[in-house]
C-alpha cells in the first residue's frame, strides 16, 4: 500500500514521462532542480515556515493539554472541546478567512485601523512568511493537543509530588518534570507538524506565492499544474524526502533510551489535578482565546462573506443591508455537493479505523517485539510524510489507471490510507513508549503469548490515544483536498474538492457558503457524539 505509489513516484523523477506516457530515463529533472537559482531561498523558506509552524502549534497544543488534564480550570466539559473545534474547518476556508482579515489593502483589519484609528501604515500582511506561520501554526495546535493530552492524563503523580515536597512550585514542576517526561509524545507531535509544514499545500500556494515566498511544495504544484511534468515535480519533492529522513533520524536518536520516559507502570495511582488558584481564570481565558482565533473569528468572517453578493470592506461592514441567500441556494443545488459530503463521511470513518489499528500493530511490532529489521518499518511507515500528498496521488493514479478501481471510491480510500497512516503510527509509537515494558514482561513470565499481551495489556492502555487518533484522522480525512483532488471523479465525488472547485473559479461566496454548511454539520456531529453519546474522543 505504501511502497507501491512511493516507488512509482521515485521512478517518475528519473524520466521525462508525461503521466502514463513513457519517454525514457534521464537525470534532466534533477539537473534542473539543482541548478534552480531559487533553490536556497526555497530551502530557507521551507525550513522557517515548517519550524515556526511546528513550534507554535506543538507548544500551544502542549500547554492546552496540560491545562485541560492537570489543572482545575473551570468549565472542563467546554474547555476540553475548545481546542478540538478548529479541526473541523476545512484548511482552505481558514486561508480564505485570514486572507480577508489580513490582506494589506483590502483586508478587514487594516481598513478598520485606517478608518477608525487613522493609521496610514498597513499593520498586517496576509502575504508574508509570518502570516503563513501564524495561520498554519494555529492549524497545528489540535495535533499537539491530542498527542499530549493522553500522556498528561496517565501521568504518575508521585514524581510531581516529590517535587512539591521539596518546595517546588506548580509552574517550576511543570517545566522541569511534567513536560520533560512527555518528550516522546511532544517530539512525535512536533515532527509530524514539522513535516506537515514542509509538505502543506494551501497556505504556501494561497499566501506565499502571491508575495514571491516560494517553498518546495509550491514548486511541485507549479511543475504539475503549469508544465504537466510529474517527473520534475517529484524531483523537487526528493529534497523533501532527504529532509524528512534527517528529521526522522533525529527522532529515533532522541528517543533511543525510551524507558527513561515511561510514566505508566505496574504501580497503582490516580492522576492528581493541580489547584492553581486564581490562575485558573487566566488558563480558561488562554483556552478561550485559542478557540476565538482558531475557529470563531474565521467562521464569523466566512458566514458574513457567504451572506453578501460580493466582497469589499464597505459591503462586509454593512452586511445586514446586503444579506442574500443566493450563495447557499447555489451550493445546495450543486449536483455533487451532497454526494461528495456523504462519500467523505463514509471514507473518513473507514480510513480512521483501518489506519489506527494498522498503526498500533506496527508500533507494537517495532517497540515490543524482536522481529528482525522492525526499525525499517518505522521509516517505511513515515515515508509518505516526505511526499506532498498531491505527488502521492499522482503515483496512485498511475497505479490504478487501466484497472477497474480507477476513478472509484476504492482508489480514493487507498490514497487517504497512504496519506494518514504515518499519523496513526507516530501517535501509537509515542503512546507505547510511555507504557513501561514491565507490564508486558509480567505477562510473558506468566506464559502469555504475544497476541494476549497485545489485546489484554497493551491495547486497553492505549484507549485514550486510540480515541484521539481516531478523532483526529477522521476530521483530517474528511477535510482533505490535496489527496482527493486528483482521485475524485464523477460518481466518486469528495466534499472538500467541490469547495476547492468553487474557490478555483473565483466564487468565494459559494466557497464560503459550502464551507459554513460543512462546518455546521461537523460541529453538530462532534457535539452530539460528545454530549449525547458520551464519546470521550481524547479523554
Amino acid at each position: 500500500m505504501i511502497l507501491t505509489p512511493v516507488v512509482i513516484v521515485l521512478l517518475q523523477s528519473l524520466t521525462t514521462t508525461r503521466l502514463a506516457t513513457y519517454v525514457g530515463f534521464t537525470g534532466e529533472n534533477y539537473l534542473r532542480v539543482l541548478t534552480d537559482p531559487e533553490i536556497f531561498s526555497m530551502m530557507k523558506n521551507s525550513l522557517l515556515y515548517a519550524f515556526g509552524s511546528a513550534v507554535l502549534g506543538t507548544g500551544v497544543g502542549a500547554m492546552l493539554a496540560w491545562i485541560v488534564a492537570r489543572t482545575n480550570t473551570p468549565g472542563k466539559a467546554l474547555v476540553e472541546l475548545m481546542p478540538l473545534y478548529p479541526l473541523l474547518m476545512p484548511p482552505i476556508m481558514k486561508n480564505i478567512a485570514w486572507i480577508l482579515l489580513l490582506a494589506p489593502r483590502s483586508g478587514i483589519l487594516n481598513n478598520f485601523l485606517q478608518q477608525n484609528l487613522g493609521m496610514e501604515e498597513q499593520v498586517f500582511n496576509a502575504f508574508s512568511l509570518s502570516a503563513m506561520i501564524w495561520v498554519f501554526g494555529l492549524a497545528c495546535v489540535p495535533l499537539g493537543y491530542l498527542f499530549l493530552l493522553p500522556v498528561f492524563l496517565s501521568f504518575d503523580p508521585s514524581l510531581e509530588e516529590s517535587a512539591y515536597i521539596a518546595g517546588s512550585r506548580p509552574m517550576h514542576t511543570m517545566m522541569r518534570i511534567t513536560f520533560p517526561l512527555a518528550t516522546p509524545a511532544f517530539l512525535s507531535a512536533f515532527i509530524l507538524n514539522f513535516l506537515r509544514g514542509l509538505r502543506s499545500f494551501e497556505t504556501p500556494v494561497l499566501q506565499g506565492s502571491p508575495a514571491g515566498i516560494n517553498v518546495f511544495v509550491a514548486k511541485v504544484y507549479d511543475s504539475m499544474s503549469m508544465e504537466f511534468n510529474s517527473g520534475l515535480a517529484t524531483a523537487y519533492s526528493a529534497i523533501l524526502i532527504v529532509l524528512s529522513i534527517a528529521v526522522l533520524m533525529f527522532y529515533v536518536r532522541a528517543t533511543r533510551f525510551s524507558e527513561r520516559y515511561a510514566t505508566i507502570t505496574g504501580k497503582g495511582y490516580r492522576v492528581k489535578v493541580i489547584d492553581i488558584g486564581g490562575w485558573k481564570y487566566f488558563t480558561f481565558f488562554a483556552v478561550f482565546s485559542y478557540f476565538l482565533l482558531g475557529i470563531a473569528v474565521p467562521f464569523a468572517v466566512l458566514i458574513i462573506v457567504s451572506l453578501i453578493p460580493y466582497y469589499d470592506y464597505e459591503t462586509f461592514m454593512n452586511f445586514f443591508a446586503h444579506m442574500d441567500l443566493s450563495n447557499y441556494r447555489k451550493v445546495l443545488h450543486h449536483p455533487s455537493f451532497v454526494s461528495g459530503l456523504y462519500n467523505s463521511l463514509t471514507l473518513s470513518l473507514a480510513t480512521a479505523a483501518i489506519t489506527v489499528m494498522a498503526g498500533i500493530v506496527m508500533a507494537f511490532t517495532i517497540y515490543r517485539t524482536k522481529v528482525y529489521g522492525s526499525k525499517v518499518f518505522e521509516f517505511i511507515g513515515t515515508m509518505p510524510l516526505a511526499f506532498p500528498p498531491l505527488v502521492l496521488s499522482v503515483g496512485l493514479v498511475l497505479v490504478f489507471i487501466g484497472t477497474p478501481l480507477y476513478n472509484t471510491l476504492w482508489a480514493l480510500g487507498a490514497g487517504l490510507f497512504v496519506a494518514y497512516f504515518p499519523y496513526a503510527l507516530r501517535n501509537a509509537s509515542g503512546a507505547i513508549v510511555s507504557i513501561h515494558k514491565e507490564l508486558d514482561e509480567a505477562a510473558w513470565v506468566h506464559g502469555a503469548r504475544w497476541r494476549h499481551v497485545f489485546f489484554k495489556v497493551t491495547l486497553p492502555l492505549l484507549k485514550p490515544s486510540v480515541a484521539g487518533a481516531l478523532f483526529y484522522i477522521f476530521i483530517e480525512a474528511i477535510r482533505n483536498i490535496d489527496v482527493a483532488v486528483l482521485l475524485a471523479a464523477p460518481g466518486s465525488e469528495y466534499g472538500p474538492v467541490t469547495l476547492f472547485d468553487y474557490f478555483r473559479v473565483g466564487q468565494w461566496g459559494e466557497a464560503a457558503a459550502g464551507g459554513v454548511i460543512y462546518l455546521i454539520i461537523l460541529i453538530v456531529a462532534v457535539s452530539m457524539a460528545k454530549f449525547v453519546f458520551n464519546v470521550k474522543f481524547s479523554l
Side-chain angles (χ1 to χ4, degrees):
M1 289 289 290
I2 294 175
L3 286 179
T4 301
V6 167
V7 170
I8 289 179
V9 165
L10 291 175
L11 290 176
Q12 286 284 295
S13 68
L14 295 171
T15 179
T16 56
T17 181
R18 297 296 190 271
L19 290 181
T21 305
Y22 175 76
V23 176
F25 286 99
T26 176
E28 177 185 348
N29 295 320
Y30 286 100
L31 182 62
R32 287 185 60 182
V33 169
L34 296 176
T35 57
D36 190 332
E38 297 183 357
I39 187 169
F40 292 108
S41 63
M42 285 192 294
M43 176 74 74
K44 176 183 176 182
N45 293 334
S46 297
L47 292 176
L48 287 177
Y49 168 65
F51 181 79
S53 300
V55 169
L56 175 62
T58 313
V60 174
M63 184 61 66
L64 295 179
W66 178 80
I67 290 173
V68 171
R70 305 308 308 278
T71 70
N72 61 334
T73 300
K76 273 294 178 69
L78 181 62
V79 167
E80 70 186 26
L81 283 180
M82 283 184 181
L84 301 179
Y85 278 122
L87 277 172
L88 306 181
M89 182 176 287
I92 194 171
M93 296 295 103
K94 292 182 182 179
N95 289 113
I96 292 175
W98 282 106
I99 288 173
L100 293 172
L101 282 166
L102 304 177
R105 294 185 179 179
S106 60
I108 298 167
L109 294 180
N110 283 322
N111 277 277
F112 179 83
L113 293 176
Q114 290 174 3
Q115 294 190 13
N116 293 275
L117 300 180
M119 299 181 64
E120 297 296 333
E121 296 183 359
Q122 296 172 348
V123 179
F124 302 102
N125 184 6
F127 309 107
S128 63
L129 185 60
S130 58
M132 292 167 58
I133 292 174
W134 170 257
V135 175
F136 193 73
L138 289 177
C140 291
V141 171
L143 187 144
Y145 174 78
L146 285 172
F147 274 39
L148 272 297
L149 188 59
V151 175
F152 291 140
L153 286 171
S154 57
F155 195 89
D156 187 349
S158 63
L159 303 172
E160 295 175 323
E161 291 169 356
S162 300
Y164 295 143
I165 293 174
S168 177
R169 295 182 178 180
M171 292 299 293
H172 186 264
T173 302
M174 176 188 70
M175 299 303 298
R176 297 295 299 274
I177 295 178
T178 309
F179 279 3
L181 284 172
T183 297
F186 184 89
L187 285 177
S188 289
F190 178 84
I191 287 169
L192 279 178
N193 280 330
F194 182 85
L195 295 176
R196 288 176 66 199
L198 284 178
R199 70 195 194 116
S200 68
F201 172 73
E202 294 92 348
T203 302
V205 172
L206 297 181
Q207 295 185 239
S209 295
I213 304 174
N214 292 319
V215 298
F216 285 109
V217 170
K219 201 70 173 180
V220 170
Y221 176 73
D222 291 341
S223 300
M224 295 185 65
S225 62
M226 296 181 181
E227 299 187 36
F228 304 100
N229 191 336
S230 57
L232 181 62
T234 52
Y236 275 110
S237 67
I239 298 178
L240 298 179
I241 300 173
V242 175
L243 292 175
S244 301
I245 292 176
V247 172
L248 183 58
M249 291 178 64
F250 165 78
Y251 171 78
V252 172
R253 181 175 177 81
T255 58
R256 63 189 186 278
F257 301 115
S258 57
E259 290 80 3
R260 71 176 65 174
Y261 301 105
T263 58
I264 302 177
T265 65
K267 302 177 183 178
Y269 59 84
R270 176 177 295 180
V271 176
K272 180 180 179 181
V273 175
I274 304 172
D275 185 356
I276 56 177
W279 285 96
K280 63 184 179 182
Y281 300 107
F282 174 79
T283 55
F284 178 85
F285 176 75
V287 178
F288 186 70
S289 297
Y290 172 70
F291 173 77
L292 288 177
L293 295 173
I295 191 171
V297 172
F299 188 34
V301 171
L302 290 178
I303 291 177
I304 296 175
V305 173
S306 69
L307 292 173
I308 57 179
Y310 59 90
Y311 170 77
D312 61 36
Y313 179 73
E314 297 298 332
T315 306
F316 181 90
M317 298 302 292
N318 298 282
F319 75 95
F320 281 113
H322 300 86
M323 288 183 62
D324 189 334
L325 295 177
S326 60
N327 291 324
Y328 287 93
R329 285 194 294 269
K330 293 177 182 177
V331 167
L332 292 175
H333 286 85
H334 196 286
S336 64
F337 182 80
V338 175
S339 61
L341 179 59
Y342 174 79
N343 290 338
S344 59
L345 282 168
T346 304
L347 285 178
S348 300
L349 283 170
T351 299
I354 295 172
T355 55
V356 168
M357 182 53 66
I360 292 173
V361 171
M362 184 174 284
F364 183 83
T365 303
I366 294 170
Y367 291 100
R368 288 294 192 267
T369 69
K370 296 181 179 180
V371 175
Y372 178 76
S374 61
K375 288 295 181 180
V376 177
F377 297 158
E378 192 162 19
F379 285 94
I380 295 176
T382 312
M383 192 180 297
L385 288 175
F387 294 80
L390 194 67
V391 176
L392 274 179
S393 63
V394 172
L396 288 168
V397 167
L398 296 174
V399 170
F400 292 118
I401 195 169
T403 70
L405 298 179
Y406 183 63
N407 280 348
T408 65
L409 291 178
W410 291 100
L412 186 52
L416 294 173
F417 173 85
V418 174
Y420 291 108
F421 177 77
Y423 294 87
L425 175 61
R426 292 265 53 87
N427 176 74
S429 298
I432 286 179
V433 162
S434 67
I435 301 175
H436 203 285
K437 289 183 178 180
E438 67 182 25
L439 300 177
D440 292 354
E441 292 168 354
W444 300 123
V445 169
H446 286 80
R449 298 183 178 181
W450 76 266
R451 60 179 180 272
H452 296 109
V453 175
F454 178 76
F455 287 106
K456 299 294 185 181
V457 178
T458 305
L459 199 56
L461 291 172
L462 290 175
K463 282 183 179 179
S465 296
V466 169
L470 283 170
F471 174 69
Y472 180 79
I473 293 175
F474 166 74
I475 296 299
E476 282 291 314
I478 203 173
R479 307 176 311 151
N480 183 274
I481 292 177
D482 38 12
V483 171
V485 69
L486 294 180
L487 296 171
S492 58
E493 293 88 359
Y494 208 68
V497 178
T498 304
L499 301 181
F500 179 73
D501 289 338
Y502 276 127
F503 171 77
R504 186 170 55 180
V505 297
Q507 295 174 309
W508 286 29
E510 288 89 338
V516 169
I517 294 172
Y518 213 79
L519 186 55
I520 289 175
I521 292 174
L522 289 176
I523 289 176
V524 170
V526 172
S527 299
M528 288 181 60
K530 174 63 181 177
F531 296 110
V532 178
F533 299 102
N534 198 31
V535 175
K536 293 291 185 180
F537 296 132
S538 57
L539 300 184

